[in-house]
Amino acid sequence: MAGLWRAYQALMTKYPWTVQIVTAGSLVGVGDVISQQLIERRGLAHHNVRRTAKMMSIGFFFVGPVIGTWYKVLDRLVVGGTKSAAMKKMLVDQLCFAPGFLGAFLSISGALNGLTVEENIGKLKRDYTDALISNYYLWPPVQIANFYFIPLHHRLAVVQVVAVGWNSYLTWKANKM
C-alpha cells in the first residue's frame, strides 16, 4: 500500500492535472458502483454499466477539472495556511461554490440520463435542497481540515477519497427517477 501511495505521489508531482482528473473520474465511478450495489442492491447481474460510464465521464470532464481549478482560484482568493484562512476558504467554498456546483452536477446527470429540460427542472426542485443540506452536514469539517493541513496539489485527492461515500449518495440521488 505504501508503494502505491509513493507511486501516486510521484505521478501527482509529475502530472498533477491529469492525475487529479483521472482520480476524480475513477472515484465518481466507484461511488456509482457502491450506489448501485449497496444502496440500490441491484446485484452484479443488474448493474447498469452505462450509468457508471456516464457518472465516470461527469467525473473526468466536469468534477475533476472544475474542482481542481476551483481550489487553485480559492488559494489565490484566500491566502495563507492559518486556521482563520482555512475557515474563510471553507466558508467561501461552501457558500459560493458548492450550491452552484451541486446544481450543475445534478443538471448534467439529468441531461445525460435523457431528461428533458422540464423534467430536469422538476428533478432539481425535488432533489436539490436535500442534496445541499446533506452537503452541509458532510463537507464543512472535511474542508476545514483539507484547507488547513493538506497541500494544494493533494486537496482534490483528499476530497475524492471522502467523496467516495458522498458520490455514492449523489449518484443515487442523481439517478433516482
Side-chain angles (χ1 to χ4, degrees), residues 1-27 64 146 150-162:
M1 191 60 136
L4 190 60
W5 178 248
R6 278 192 298 276
Y8 175 81
Q9 293 221 359
L11 286 171
M12 191 63 156
T13 301
K14 195 169 183 179
Y15 309 104
W17 188 247
T18 303
V19 172
Q20 287 177 3
I21 290 170
V22 170
T23 301
S26 301
L27 292 177
N146 199 22
I150 307 299
L152 175 63
H153 65 283
H154 288 299
R155 286 187 190 146
L156 181 60
V158 168
V159 164
Q160 288 302 326
V161 169
V162 174

PDB file of all heavy atoms in Angstrom, residues 1-27 64 146 150-162:
ATOM      1  N   MET A   1       0.817  -1.190   0.000  1.00  0.00           N
ATOM      2  CA  MET A   1       0.000   0.000   0.000  1.00  0.00           C
ATOM      3  C   MET A   1       0.863   1.256   0.000  1.00  0.00           C
ATOM      4  O   MET A   1       0.551   2.214  -0.678  1.00  0.00           O
ATOM      5  CB  MET A   1      -0.935  -0.036   1.216  1.00  0.00           C
ATOM      6  CG  MET A   1      -1.996   1.018   1.175  1.00  0.00           C
ATOM      7  SD  MET A   1      -3.037   0.848  -0.281  1.00  0.00           S
ATOM      8  CE  MET A   1      -4.604   1.069   0.433  1.00  0.00           C
ATOM      9  N   ALA A   2       1.956   1.212   0.777  1.00  0.00           N
ATOM     10  CA  ALA A   2       2.858   2.363   0.836  1.00  0.00           C
ATOM     11  C   ALA A   2       3.492   2.618  -0.531  1.00  0.00           C
ATOM     12  O   ALA A   2       3.670   3.766  -0.938  1.00  0.00           O
ATOM     13  CB  ALA A   2       3.928   2.144   1.896  1.00  0.00           C
ATOM     14  N   GLY A   3       3.822   1.533  -1.241  1.00  0.00           N
ATOM     15  CA  GLY A   3       4.393   1.670  -2.582  1.00  0.00           C
ATOM     16  C   GLY A   3       3.414   2.298  -3.551  1.00  0.00           C
ATOM     17  O   GLY A   3       3.791   3.116  -4.402  1.00  0.00           O
ATOM     18  N   LEU A   4       2.150   1.926  -3.427  1.00  0.00           N
ATOM     19  CA  LEU A   4       1.106   2.506  -4.273  1.00  0.00           C
ATOM     20  C   LEU A   4       0.957   4.002  -3.995  1.00  0.00           C
ATOM     21  O   LEU A   4       0.841   4.807  -4.925  1.00  0.00           O
ATOM     22  CB  LEU A   4      -0.213   1.771  -4.017  1.00  0.00           C
ATOM     23  CG  LEU A   4      -1.372   2.059  -4.950  1.00  0.00           C
ATOM     24  CD1 LEU A   4      -1.014   1.708  -6.390  1.00  0.00           C
ATOM     25  CD2 LEU A   4      -2.593   1.265  -4.518  1.00  0.00           C
ATOM     26  N   TRP A   5       1.006   4.362  -2.716  1.00  0.00           N
ATOM     27  CA  TRP A   5       0.906   5.772  -2.342  1.00  0.00           C
ATOM     28  C   TRP A   5       2.099   6.566  -2.878  1.00  0.00           C
ATOM     29  O   TRP A   5       1.938   7.674  -3.376  1.00  0.00           O
ATOM     30  CB  TRP A   5       0.783   5.927  -0.831  1.00  0.00           C
ATOM     31  CG  TRP A   5       0.717   7.362  -0.394  1.00  0.00           C
ATOM     32  CD1 TRP A   5       1.660   8.040   0.320  1.00  0.00           C
ATOM     33  CD2 TRP A   5      -0.329   8.299  -0.652  1.00  0.00           C
ATOM     34  NE1 TRP A   5       1.258   9.343   0.515  1.00  0.00           N
ATOM     35  CE2 TRP A   5       0.041   9.525  -0.069  1.00  0.00           C
ATOM     36  CE3 TRP A   5      -1.548   8.225  -1.324  1.00  0.00           C
ATOM     37  CZ2 TRP A   5      -0.744  10.658  -0.144  1.00  0.00           C
ATOM     38  CZ3 TRP A   5      -2.333   9.362  -1.388  1.00  0.00           C
ATOM     39  CH2 TRP A   5      -1.939  10.557  -0.803  1.00  0.00           C
ATOM     40  N   ARG A   6       3.302   5.984  -2.794  1.00  0.00           N
ATOM     41  CA  ARG A   6       4.501   6.666  -3.320  1.00  0.00           C
ATOM     42  C   ARG A   6       4.390   6.846  -4.830  1.00  0.00           C
ATOM     43  O   ARG A   6       4.753   7.894  -5.366  1.00  0.00           O
ATOM     44  CB  ARG A   6       5.765   5.891  -2.954  1.00  0.00           C
ATOM     45  CG  ARG A   6       6.247   6.173  -1.543  1.00  0.00           C
ATOM     46  CD  ARG A   6       7.649   5.623  -1.302  1.00  0.00           C
ATOM     47  NE  ARG A   6       7.735   4.161  -1.438  1.00  0.00           N
ATOM     48  CZ  ARG A   6       7.434   3.305  -0.472  1.00  0.00           C
ATOM     49  NH1 ARG A   6       7.028   3.733   0.708  1.00  0.00           N
ATOM     50  NH2 ARG A   6       7.543   2.011  -0.683  1.00  0.00           N
ATOM     51  N   ALA A   7       3.902   5.827  -5.518  1.00  0.00           N
ATOM     52  CA  ALA A   7       3.727   5.932  -6.973  1.00  0.00           C
ATOM     53  C   ALA A   7       2.705   7.016  -7.311  1.00  0.00           C
ATOM     54  O   ALA A   7       2.908   7.812  -8.243  1.00  0.00           O
ATOM     55  CB  ALA A   7       3.287   4.585  -7.543  1.00  0.00           C
ATOM     56  N   TYR A   8       1.625   7.059  -6.549  1.00  0.00           N
ATOM     57  CA  TYR A   8       0.612   8.097  -6.749  1.00  0.00           C
ATOM     58  C   TYR A   8       1.228   9.479  -6.543  1.00  0.00           C
ATOM     59  O   TYR A   8       1.004  10.395  -7.339  1.00  0.00           O
ATOM     60  CB  TYR A   8      -0.564   7.875  -5.789  1.00  0.00           C
ATOM     61  CG  TYR A   8      -1.597   8.971  -5.838  1.00  0.00           C
ATOM     62  CD1 TYR A   8      -2.568   8.992  -6.838  1.00  0.00           C
ATOM     63  CD2 TYR A   8      -1.608   9.998  -4.895  1.00  0.00           C
ATOM     64  CE1 TYR A   8      -3.513   9.996  -6.901  1.00  0.00           C
ATOM     65  CE2 TYR A   8      -2.545  11.008  -4.949  1.00  0.00           C
ATOM     66  CZ  TYR A   8      -3.500  11.004  -5.956  1.00  0.00           C
ATOM     67  OH  TYR A   8      -4.428  12.005  -6.021  1.00  0.00           O
ATOM     68  N   GLN A   9       1.995   9.647  -5.481  1.00  0.00           N
ATOM     69  CA  GLN A   9       2.627  10.942  -5.191  1.00  0.00           C
ATOM     70  C   GLN A   9       3.598  11.343  -6.296  1.00  0.00           C
ATOM     71  O   GLN A   9       3.666  12.512  -6.678  1.00  0.00           O
ATOM     72  CB  GLN A   9       3.336  10.894  -3.847  1.00  0.00           C
ATOM     73  CG  GLN A   9       2.367  10.760  -2.705  1.00  0.00           C
ATOM     74  CD  GLN A   9       2.760  11.633  -1.541  1.00  0.00           C
ATOM     75  OE1 GLN A   9       3.755  12.318  -1.559  1.00  0.00           O
ATOM     76  NE2 GLN A   9       1.932  11.605  -0.521  1.00  0.00           N
ATOM     77  N   ALA A  10       4.370  10.368  -6.804  1.00  0.00           N
ATOM     78  CA  ALA A  10       5.311  10.666  -7.889  1.00  0.00           C
ATOM     79  C   ALA A  10       4.555  11.122  -9.138  1.00  0.00           C
ATOM     80  O   ALA A  10       4.935  12.109  -9.787  1.00  0.00           O
ATOM     81  CB  ALA A  10       6.163   9.439  -8.193  1.00  0.00           C
ATOM     82  N   LEU A  11       3.474  10.419  -9.470  1.00  0.00           N
ATOM     83  CA  LEU A  11       2.660  10.821 -10.621  1.00  0.00           C
ATOM     84  C   LEU A  11       2.011  12.177 -10.384  1.00  0.00           C
ATOM     85  O   LEU A  11       1.917  13.011 -11.295  1.00  0.00           O
ATOM     86  CB  LEU A  11       1.582   9.770 -10.911  1.00  0.00           C
ATOM     87  CG  LEU A  11       2.071   8.485 -11.560  1.00  0.00           C
ATOM     88  CD1 LEU A  11       0.952   7.446 -11.583  1.00  0.00           C
ATOM     89  CD2 LEU A  11       2.589   8.754 -12.963  1.00  0.00           C
ATOM     90  N   MET A  12       1.570  12.417  -9.153  1.00  0.00           N
ATOM     91  CA  MET A  12       0.940  13.686  -8.809  1.00  0.00           C
ATOM     92  C   MET A  12       1.916  14.846  -8.969  1.00  0.00           C
ATOM     93  O   MET A  12       1.536  15.923  -9.414  1.00  0.00           O
ATOM     94  CB  MET A  12       0.399  13.612  -7.375  1.00  0.00           C
ATOM     95  CG  MET A  12      -0.480  14.730  -7.009  1.00  0.00           C
ATOM     96  SD  MET A  12      -1.950  14.706  -8.038  1.00  0.00           S
ATOM     97  CE  MET A  12      -3.026  15.576  -6.974  1.00  0.00           C
ATOM     98  N   THR A  13       3.177  14.615  -8.625  1.00  0.00           N
ATOM     99  CA  THR A  13       4.196  15.655  -8.767  1.00  0.00           C
ATOM    100  C   THR A  13       4.489  15.923 -10.245  1.00  0.00           C
ATOM    101  O   THR A  13       4.621  17.070 -10.658  1.00  0.00           O
ATOM    102  CB  THR A  13       5.495  15.224  -8.042  1.00  0.00           C
ATOM    103  OG1 THR A  13       5.173  15.011  -6.667  1.00  0.00           O
ATOM    104  CG2 THR A  13       6.569  16.280  -8.161  1.00  0.00           C
ATOM    105  N   LYS A  14       4.536  14.856 -11.037  1.00  0.00           N
ATOM    106  CA  LYS A  14       4.899  14.985 -12.452  1.00  0.00           C
ATOM    107  C   LYS A  14       3.721  15.425 -13.324  1.00  0.00           C
ATOM    108  O   LYS A  14       3.899  16.220 -14.250  1.00  0.00           O
ATOM    109  CB  LYS A  14       5.451  13.649 -12.950  1.00  0.00           C
ATOM    110  CG  LYS A  14       6.181  13.743 -14.259  1.00  0.00           C
ATOM    111  CD  LYS A  14       6.933  12.460 -14.560  1.00  0.00           C
ATOM    112  CE  LYS A  14       7.718  12.618 -15.843  1.00  0.00           C
ATOM    113  NZ  LYS A  14       8.468  11.419 -16.172  1.00  0.00           N
ATOM    114  N   TYR A  15       2.515  14.908 -13.045  1.00  0.00           N
ATOM    115  CA  TYR A  15       1.327  15.185 -13.864  1.00  0.00           C
ATOM    116  C   TYR A  15       0.133  15.542 -12.986  1.00  0.00           C
ATOM    117  O   TYR A  15      -0.867  14.818 -12.969  1.00  0.00           O
ATOM    118  CB  TYR A  15       0.943  13.967 -14.709  1.00  0.00           C
ATOM    119  CG  TYR A  15       2.072  13.377 -15.502  1.00  0.00           C
ATOM    120  CD1 TYR A  15       2.691  12.193 -15.095  1.00  0.00           C
ATOM    121  CD2 TYR A  15       2.526  13.988 -16.673  1.00  0.00           C
ATOM    122  CE1 TYR A  15       3.725  11.636 -15.824  1.00  0.00           C
ATOM    123  CE2 TYR A  15       3.561  13.432 -17.409  1.00  0.00           C
ATOM    124  CZ  TYR A  15       4.153  12.256 -16.979  1.00  0.00           C
ATOM    125  OH  TYR A  15       5.168  11.719 -17.712  1.00  0.00           O
ATOM    126  N   PRO A  16       0.200  16.642 -12.237  1.00  0.00           N
ATOM    127  CA  PRO A  16      -0.867  16.914 -11.258  1.00  0.00           C
ATOM    128  C   PRO A  16      -2.255  17.042 -11.876  1.00  0.00           C
ATOM    129  O   PRO A  16      -3.219  16.478 -11.348  1.00  0.00           O
ATOM    130  CB  PRO A  16      -0.422  18.221 -10.592  1.00  0.00           C
ATOM    131  CG  PRO A  16       0.563  18.821 -11.520  1.00  0.00           C
ATOM    132  CD  PRO A  16       1.206  17.695 -12.262  1.00  0.00           C
ATOM    133  N   TRP A  17      -2.399  17.746 -12.959  1.00  0.00           N
ATOM    134  CA  TRP A  17      -3.712  17.970 -13.569  1.00  0.00           C
ATOM    135  C   TRP A  17      -4.318  16.655 -14.043  1.00  0.00           C
ATOM    136  O   TRP A  17      -5.473  16.340 -13.745  1.00  0.00           O
ATOM    137  CB  TRP A  17      -3.564  18.968 -14.710  1.00  0.00           C
ATOM    138  CG  TRP A  17      -4.848  19.433 -15.287  1.00  0.00           C
ATOM    139  CD1 TRP A  17      -5.322  19.183 -16.539  1.00  0.00           C
ATOM    140  CD2 TRP A  17      -5.854  20.251 -14.658  1.00  0.00           C
ATOM    141  NE1 TRP A  17      -6.535  19.777 -16.715  1.00  0.00           N
ATOM    142  CE2 TRP A  17      -6.883  20.440 -15.579  1.00  0.00           C
ATOM    143  CE3 TRP A  17      -5.963  20.814 -13.395  1.00  0.00           C
ATOM    144  CZ2 TRP A  17      -8.016  21.180 -15.285  1.00  0.00           C
ATOM    145  CZ3 TRP A  17      -7.096  21.550 -13.113  1.00  0.00           C
ATOM    146  CH2 TRP A  17      -8.106  21.724 -14.049  1.00  0.00           C
ATOM    147  N   THR A  18      -3.543  15.867 -14.760  1.00  0.00           N
ATOM    148  CA  THR A  18      -4.027  14.594 -15.296  1.00  0.00           C
ATOM    149  C   THR A  18      -4.407  13.638 -14.174  1.00  0.00           C
ATOM    150  O   THR A  18      -5.463  13.000 -14.221  1.00  0.00           O
ATOM    151  CB  THR A  18      -2.942  13.954 -16.193  1.00  0.00           C
ATOM    152  OG1 THR A  18      -2.605  14.878 -17.229  1.00  0.00           O
ATOM    153  CG2 THR A  18      -3.419  12.659 -16.809  1.00  0.00           C
ATOM    154  N   VAL A  19      -3.555  13.546 -13.162  1.00  0.00           N
ATOM    155  CA  VAL A  19      -3.826  12.631 -12.050  1.00  0.00           C
ATOM    156  C   VAL A  19      -5.077  13.069 -11.293  1.00  0.00           C
ATOM    157  O   VAL A  19      -5.903  12.232 -10.918  1.00  0.00           O
ATOM    158  CB  VAL A  19      -2.608  12.519 -11.109  1.00  0.00           C
ATOM    159  CG1 VAL A  19      -2.945  11.737  -9.853  1.00  0.00           C
ATOM    160  CG2 VAL A  19      -1.441  11.864 -11.843  1.00  0.00           C
ATOM    161  N   GLN A  20      -5.257  14.376 -11.087  1.00  0.00           N
ATOM    162  CA  GLN A  20      -6.457  14.867 -10.399  1.00  0.00           C
ATOM    163  C   GLN A  20      -7.715  14.498 -11.181  1.00  0.00           C
ATOM    164  O   GLN A  20      -8.712  14.045 -10.601  1.00  0.00           O
ATOM    165  CB  GLN A  20      -6.387  16.374 -10.214  1.00  0.00           C
ATOM    166  CG  GLN A  20      -5.406  16.814  -9.165  1.00  0.00           C
ATOM    167  CD  GLN A  20      -5.305  18.330  -9.050  1.00  0.00           C
ATOM    168  OE1 GLN A  20      -6.007  19.076  -9.722  1.00  0.00           O
ATOM    169  NE2 GLN A  20      -4.416  18.782  -8.193  1.00  0.00           N
ATOM    170  N   ILE A  21      -7.681  14.663 -12.489  1.00  0.00           N
ATOM    171  CA  ILE A  21      -8.856  14.374 -13.323  1.00  0.00           C
ATOM    172  C   ILE A  21      -9.149  12.876 -13.352  1.00  0.00           C
ATOM    173  O   ILE A  21     -10.302  12.456 -13.195  1.00  0.00           O
ATOM    174  CB  ILE A  21      -8.651  14.951 -14.739  1.00  0.00           C
ATOM    175  CG1 ILE A  21      -8.719  16.478 -14.675  1.00  0.00           C
ATOM    176  CG2 ILE A  21      -9.678  14.399 -15.717  1.00  0.00           C
ATOM    177  CD1 ILE A  21      -8.301  17.179 -15.944  1.00  0.00           C
ATOM    178  N   VAL A  22      -8.106  12.058 -13.526  1.00  0.00           N
ATOM    179  CA  VAL A  22      -8.298  10.603 -13.546  1.00  0.00           C
ATOM    180  C   VAL A  22      -8.796  10.111 -12.190  1.00  0.00           C
ATOM    181  O   VAL A  22      -9.690   9.256 -12.114  1.00  0.00           O
ATOM    182  CB  VAL A  22      -6.991   9.891 -13.980  1.00  0.00           C
ATOM    183  CG1 VAL A  22      -7.084   8.386 -13.762  1.00  0.00           C
ATOM    184  CG2 VAL A  22      -6.685  10.201 -15.437  1.00  0.00           C
ATOM    185  N   THR A  23      -8.247  10.674 -11.115  1.00  0.00           N
ATOM    186  CA  THR A  23      -8.692  10.303  -9.769  1.00  0.00           C
ATOM    187  C   THR A  23     -10.165  10.650  -9.582  1.00  0.00           C
ATOM    188  O   THR A  23     -10.952   9.823  -9.101  1.00  0.00           O
ATOM    189  CB  THR A  23      -7.840  11.013  -8.698  1.00  0.00           C
ATOM    190  OG1 THR A  23      -6.472  10.643  -8.868  1.00  0.00           O
ATOM    191  CG2 THR A  23      -8.283  10.647  -7.297  1.00  0.00           C
ATOM    192  N   ALA A  24     -10.541  11.857  -9.971  1.00  0.00           N
ATOM    193  CA  ALA A  24     -11.940  12.282  -9.809  1.00  0.00           C
ATOM    194  C   ALA A  24     -12.882  11.380 -10.603  1.00  0.00           C
ATOM    195  O   ALA A  24     -13.885  10.895 -10.070  1.00  0.00           O
ATOM    196  CB  ALA A  24     -12.098  13.739 -10.239  1.00  0.00           C
ATOM    197  N   GLY A  25     -12.583  11.145 -11.859  1.00  0.00           N
ATOM    198  CA  GLY A  25     -13.455  10.303 -12.686  1.00  0.00           C
ATOM    199  C   GLY A  25     -13.563   8.887 -12.151  1.00  0.00           C
ATOM    200  O   GLY A  25     -14.656   8.314 -12.095  1.00  0.00           O
ATOM    201  N   SER A  26     -12.429   8.339 -11.735  1.00  0.00           N
ATOM    202  CA  SER A  26     -12.429   6.973 -11.207  1.00  0.00           C
ATOM    203  C   SER A  26     -13.242   6.870  -9.929  1.00  0.00           C
ATOM    204  O   SER A  26     -14.026   5.933  -9.750  1.00  0.00           O
ATOM    205  CB  SER A  26     -10.992   6.523 -10.935  1.00  0.00           C
ATOM    206  OG  SER A  26     -10.237   6.573 -12.117  1.00  0.00           O
ATOM    207  N   LEU A  27     -13.079   7.847  -9.040  1.00  0.00           N
ATOM    208  CA  LEU A  27     -13.778   7.769  -7.758  1.00  0.00           C
ATOM    209  C   LEU A  27     -15.266   8.107  -7.872  1.00  0.00           C
ATOM    210  O   LEU A  27     -16.065   7.586  -7.091  1.00  0.00           O
ATOM    211  CB  LEU A  27     -13.079   8.632  -6.721  1.00  0.00           C
ATOM    212  CG  LEU A  27     -11.691   8.097  -6.326  1.00  0.00           C
ATOM    213  CD1 LEU A  27     -11.002   9.037  -5.357  1.00  0.00           C
ATOM    214  CD2 LEU A  27     -11.774   6.699  -5.740  1.00  0.00           C
ATOM    215  N   GLY A  64     -13.521  16.700 -11.910  1.00  0.00           N
ATOM    216  CA  GLY A  64     -12.071  16.871 -11.785  1.00  0.00           C
ATOM    217  C   GLY A  64     -11.586  18.237 -12.229  1.00  0.00           C
ATOM    218  O   GLY A  64     -10.947  18.955 -11.445  1.00  0.00           O
ATOM    219  N   ASN A 146      -9.042  19.976   5.259  1.00  0.00           N
ATOM    220  CA  ASN A 146      -8.378  19.949   3.961  1.00  0.00           C
ATOM    221  C   ASN A 146      -7.601  21.246   3.710  1.00  0.00           C
ATOM    222  O   ASN A 146      -6.438  21.220   3.321  1.00  0.00           O
ATOM    223  CB  ASN A 146      -9.423  19.723   2.868  1.00  0.00           C
ATOM    224  CG  ASN A 146      -8.838  19.237   1.566  1.00  0.00           C
ATOM    225  OD1 ASN A 146      -7.747  18.670   1.515  1.00  0.00           O
ATOM    226  ND2 ASN A 146      -9.566  19.454   0.501  1.00  0.00           N
ATOM    227  N   ILE A 150      -3.679  20.120   4.288  1.00  0.00           N
ATOM    228  CA  ILE A 150      -3.329  19.439   3.041  1.00  0.00           C
ATOM    229  C   ILE A 150      -2.765  20.423   2.012  1.00  0.00           C
ATOM    230  O   ILE A 150      -3.388  21.456   1.750  1.00  0.00           O
ATOM    231  CB  ILE A 150      -4.575  18.720   2.450  1.00  0.00           C
ATOM    232  CG1 ILE A 150      -5.221  17.808   3.504  1.00  0.00           C
ATOM    233  CG2 ILE A 150      -4.232  17.948   1.187  1.00  0.00           C
ATOM    234  CD1 ILE A 150      -4.351  16.697   4.030  1.00  0.00           C
ATOM    235  N   PRO A 151      -1.620  20.099   1.394  1.00  0.00           N
ATOM    236  CA  PRO A 151      -1.083  20.963   0.331  1.00  0.00           C
ATOM    237  C   PRO A 151      -2.049  21.029  -0.864  1.00  0.00           C
ATOM    238  O   PRO A 151      -2.792  20.079  -1.125  1.00  0.00           O
ATOM    239  CB  PRO A 151       0.217  20.277  -0.082  1.00  0.00           C
ATOM    240  CG  PRO A 151       0.534  19.290   0.984  1.00  0.00           C
ATOM    241  CD  PRO A 151      -0.753  18.954   1.664  1.00  0.00           C
ATOM    242  N   LEU A 152      -2.011  22.124  -1.588  1.00  0.00           N
ATOM    243  CA  LEU A 152      -2.939  22.383  -2.692  1.00  0.00           C
ATOM    244  C   LEU A 152      -3.026  21.223  -3.671  1.00  0.00           C
ATOM    245  O   LEU A 152      -4.127  20.799  -4.034  1.00  0.00           O
ATOM    246  CB  LEU A 152      -2.534  23.670  -3.424  1.00  0.00           C
ATOM    247  CG  LEU A 152      -3.338  24.013  -4.683  1.00  0.00           C
ATOM    248  CD1 LEU A 152      -4.805  24.248  -4.329  1.00  0.00           C
ATOM    249  CD2 LEU A 152      -2.746  25.241  -5.368  1.00  0.00           C
ATOM    250  N   HIS A 153      -1.904  20.678  -4.096  1.00  0.00           N
ATOM    251  CA  HIS A 153      -1.945  19.648  -5.140  1.00  0.00           C
ATOM    252  C   HIS A 153      -2.501  18.308  -4.654  1.00  0.00           C
ATOM    253  O   HIS A 153      -2.747  17.425  -5.467  1.00  0.00           O
ATOM    254  CB  HIS A 153      -0.572  19.482  -5.806  1.00  0.00           C
ATOM    255  CG  HIS A 153       0.501  18.977  -4.908  1.00  0.00           C
ATOM    256  ND1 HIS A 153       1.138  19.774  -3.986  1.00  0.00           N
ATOM    257  CD2 HIS A 153       1.043  17.744  -4.780  1.00  0.00           C
ATOM    258  CE1 HIS A 153       2.036  19.059  -3.335  1.00  0.00           C
ATOM    259  NE2 HIS A 153       1.994  17.833  -3.782  1.00  0.00           N
ATOM    260  N   HIS A 154      -2.738  18.155  -3.362  1.00  0.00           N
ATOM    261  CA  HIS A 154      -3.359  16.922  -2.846  1.00  0.00           C
ATOM    262  C   HIS A 154      -4.808  17.132  -2.395  1.00  0.00           C
ATOM    263  O   HIS A 154      -5.479  16.171  -2.009  1.00  0.00           O
ATOM    264  CB  HIS A 154      -2.561  16.367  -1.664  1.00  0.00           C
ATOM    265  CG  HIS A 154      -1.249  15.775  -2.063  1.00  0.00           C
ATOM    266  ND1 HIS A 154      -1.153  14.710  -2.911  1.00  0.00           N
ATOM    267  CD2 HIS A 154       0.018  16.118  -1.737  1.00  0.00           C
ATOM    268  CE1 HIS A 154       0.123  14.410  -3.090  1.00  0.00           C
ATOM    269  NE2 HIS A 154       0.857  15.260  -2.393  1.00  0.00           N
ATOM    270  N   ARG A 155      -5.298  18.356  -2.445  1.00  0.00           N
ATOM    271  CA  ARG A 155      -6.648  18.625  -1.927  1.00  0.00           C
ATOM    272  C   ARG A 155      -7.738  17.893  -2.685  1.00  0.00           C
ATOM    273  O   ARG A 155      -8.672  17.370  -2.086  1.00  0.00           O
ATOM    274  CB  ARG A 155      -6.928  20.128  -1.914  1.00  0.00           C
ATOM    275  CG  ARG A 155      -6.177  20.800  -0.813  1.00  0.00           C
ATOM    276  CD  ARG A 155      -6.553  22.234  -0.648  1.00  0.00           C
ATOM    277  NE  ARG A 155      -5.584  22.818   0.273  1.00  0.00           N
ATOM    278  CZ  ARG A 155      -5.143  24.042   0.218  1.00  0.00           C
ATOM    279  NH1 ARG A 155      -5.614  24.861  -0.697  1.00  0.00           N
ATOM    280  NH2 ARG A 155      -4.263  24.465   1.076  1.00  0.00           N
ATOM    281  N   LEU A 156      -7.641  17.877  -4.012  1.00  0.00           N
ATOM    282  CA  LEU A 156      -8.668  17.183  -4.779  1.00  0.00           C
ATOM    283  C   LEU A 156      -8.676  15.699  -4.431  1.00  0.00           C
ATOM    284  O   LEU A 156      -9.747  15.094  -4.295  1.00  0.00           O
ATOM    285  CB  LEU A 156      -8.462  17.391  -6.283  1.00  0.00           C
ATOM    286  CG  LEU A 156      -9.502  16.727  -7.179  1.00  0.00           C
ATOM    287  CD1 LEU A 156     -10.906  17.251  -6.890  1.00  0.00           C
ATOM    288  CD2 LEU A 156      -9.152  16.942  -8.643  1.00  0.00           C
ATOM    289  N   ALA A 157      -7.507  15.101  -4.236  1.00  0.00           N
ATOM    290  CA  ALA A 157      -7.440  13.680  -3.879  1.00  0.00           C
ATOM    291  C   ALA A 157      -8.087  13.423  -2.524  1.00  0.00           C
ATOM    292  O   ALA A 157      -8.836  12.459  -2.358  1.00  0.00           O
ATOM    293  CB  ALA A 157      -5.992  13.206  -3.885  1.00  0.00           C
ATOM    294  N   VAL A 158      -7.815  14.280  -1.552  1.00  0.00           N
ATOM    295  CA  VAL A 158      -8.420  14.122  -0.224  1.00  0.00           C
ATOM    296  C   VAL A 158      -9.943  14.208  -0.341  1.00  0.00           C
ATOM    297  O   VAL A 158     -10.680  13.377   0.189  1.00  0.00           O
ATOM    298  CB  VAL A 158      -7.887  15.181   0.763  1.00  0.00           C
ATOM    299  CG1 VAL A 158      -8.712  15.213   2.045  1.00  0.00           C
ATOM    300  CG2 VAL A 158      -6.429  14.909   1.076  1.00  0.00           C
ATOM    301  N   VAL A 159     -10.395  15.222  -1.065  1.00  0.00           N
ATOM    302  CA  VAL A 159     -11.833  15.391  -1.256  1.00  0.00           C
ATOM    303  C   VAL A 159     -12.417  14.165  -1.955  1.00  0.00           C
ATOM    304  O   VAL A 159     -13.494  13.685  -1.590  1.00  0.00           O
ATOM    305  CB  VAL A 159     -12.120  16.683  -2.060  1.00  0.00           C
ATOM    306  CG1 VAL A 159     -13.529  16.704  -2.604  1.00  0.00           C
ATOM    307  CG2 VAL A 159     -11.874  17.901  -1.187  1.00  0.00           C
ATOM    308  N   GLN A 160     -11.718  13.627  -2.929  1.00  0.00           N
ATOM    309  CA  GLN A 160     -12.267  12.497  -3.671  1.00  0.00           C
ATOM    310  C   GLN A 160     -12.310  11.225  -2.831  1.00  0.00           C
ATOM    311  O   GLN A 160     -13.211  10.406  -3.002  1.00  0.00           O
ATOM    312  CB  GLN A 160     -11.493  12.276  -4.972  1.00  0.00           C
ATOM    313  CG  GLN A 160     -11.771  13.347  -6.005  1.00  0.00           C
ATOM    314  CD  GLN A 160     -13.247  13.460  -6.359  1.00  0.00           C
ATOM    315  OE1 GLN A 160     -13.996  12.484  -6.375  1.00  0.00           O
ATOM    316  NE2 GLN A 160     -13.692  14.675  -6.636  1.00  0.00           N
ATOM    317  N   VAL A 161     -11.367  11.054  -1.914  1.00  0.00           N
ATOM    318  CA  VAL A 161     -11.418   9.886  -1.023  1.00  0.00           C
ATOM    319  C   VAL A 161     -12.657   9.983  -0.127  1.00  0.00           C
ATOM    320  O   VAL A 161     -13.427   9.031  -0.003  1.00  0.00           O
ATOM    321  CB  VAL A 161     -10.120   9.751  -0.200  1.00  0.00           C
ATOM    322  CG1 VAL A 161     -10.280   8.726   0.905  1.00  0.00           C
ATOM    323  CG2 VAL A 161      -8.963   9.385  -1.116  1.00  0.00           C
ATOM    324  N   VAL A 162     -12.869  11.145   0.471  1.00  0.00           N
ATOM    325  CA  VAL A 162     -14.078  11.344   1.280  1.00  0.00           C
ATOM    326  C   VAL A 162     -15.311  11.243   0.385  1.00  0.00           C
ATOM    327  O   VAL A 162     -16.351  10.724   0.780  1.00  0.00           O
ATOM    328  CB  VAL A 162     -14.037  12.718   1.997  1.00  0.00           C
ATOM    329  CG1 VAL A 162     -15.349  12.999   2.714  1.00  0.00           C
ATOM    330  CG2 VAL A 162     -12.867  12.778   2.968  1.00  0.00           C
TER     331      VAL A 162
END
